[in-house]
Amino acid sequence: AHGLRADRRQMLGRAEFLIAAGYSVLLIDLQAHGESLGKHIGFGLIEASDIVDAVKFLKEDHSSVGAIGFSLGGAAAVLAADKLEADALVVEAVFTDIRKATANRLQTRLGGVGSALSSALLWQREPRTGIPVSAVAPIEAVADVRAPLLVIAGEADRRTTLADSQALFDRANQPKAFWAVPGAAHENYHVHSQVEYERRVLNFFSQYLVGCEVAP
């Protein structure tokens, strides 16, 4: 599942190496993205149902399903934790809560004044979208994730900081693993560190998905 204001094409590189390793792959456009309908972006809260439905669809023909979500897609997967039937979950650059995520992004663009503007921006969005700001908090939901979890972060990410990703990881249950991508910002980690990304993800899936051999 792709990131904010992207679509399923963002995940094509991941799909290619997974298919080459023998996996079946489903790419989706989260609602209000790509070719999917939707009036509002829900910062993961609305999109959680898309992740749940996609996994259920795959479960009809596959006994074991892994999921990968980048940024918005990862947040949606975590926020869907109590309903998600995935057997292994990889989340990348997932924010802790929407307040912190908005402040980080505005500060990156505007400097110190950005943090001050974040509360006003969120205050305007809540009545317009009907999405409670307090409910968009992956860090509160991650303890409900039942699947083995791999958290991937960018060491130089200013939108979802390394500390944010570490905090999310710390709240998660075992089994879990953490990888900080050296030098990476808030970007496509598969493109940034392709060989190591593929090695880690394939090894992770081979541990927890039925019928998989350990990747080299």
Side-chain angles (χ1 to χ4, degrees):
H2 58 80
L4 182 68
R5 295 187 174 87
D7 59 45
R8 62 189 185 275
R9 292 173 296 179
Q10 185 182 51
M11 310 300 283
L12 278 173
R14 294 168 177 80
E16 288 173 351
F17 87 79
L18 289 168
I19 289 169
Y23 291 91
S24 299
V25 177
L26 173 66
L27 299 178
I28 63 171
D29 287 337
L30 298 171
Q31 55 190 285
H33 291 78
E35 296 182 285
S36 290
L37 301 177
K39 293 183 178 180
H40 302 294
I41 294 172
F43 305 110
L45 193 64
I46 296 175
E47 297 82 0
S49 63
D50 300 335
I51 308 296
V52 170
D53 290 344
V55 172
K56 283 184 177 178
F57 173 77
L58 290 172
K59 280 282 187 175
E60 292 177 4
D61 296 308
H62 299 79
S63 60
S64 191
V65 175
I68 300 176
F70 172 74
S71 194
L72 174 66
V78 172
L79 290 167
D82 60 338
K83 298 178 180 178
L84 192 64
E85 299 177 8
D87 300 287
L89 178 59
V90 179
V91 298
E92 308 175 21
V94 173
F95 58 87
T96 53
D97 65 71
I98 194 60
R99 291 187 178 89
K100 183 72 162 39
T102 303
N104 286 351
R105 283 156 176 76
L106 288 176
Q107 188 172 17
T108 298
R109 292 184 180 184
L110 305 174
V113 69
S115 296
L117 292 173
S118 62
S119 295
L121 179 63
L122 290 172
W123 178 80
Q124 292 176 17
R125 287 191 64 89
E126 186 167 325
R128 189 165 71 248
T129 63
I131 299 168
V133 170
S134 60
V136 188
I139 196 166
E140 299 298 331
V142 72
D144 295 324
V145 173
R146 298 186 294 270
L149 181 67
L150 171 59
V151 176
I152 302 178
E155 281 190 347
D157 192 345
R158 296 174 61 193
R159 297 183 183 182
T160 300
T161 66
L162 185 58
D164 292 338
S165 293
Q166 185 67 58
L168 190 80
F169 175 77
D170 290 345
R171 293 286 290 273
N173 297 312
Q174 295 286 358
K176 59 184 178 180
F178 187 86
W179 177 39
V181 184
H186 198 85
E187 58 186 292
N188 190 324
Y189 300 139
H190 178 240
V191 172
H192 185 279
S193 301
Q194 181 176 343
V195 173
E196 185 63 9
Y197 181 98
E198 294 181 7
R199 186 187 71 81
R200 287 177 181 264
V201 170
L202 289 175
N203 276 331
F204 179 73
F205 279 165
S206 71
Q207 283 183 271
Y208 300 110
L209 299 183
V210 174
C212 296
E213 296 180 357
V214 176

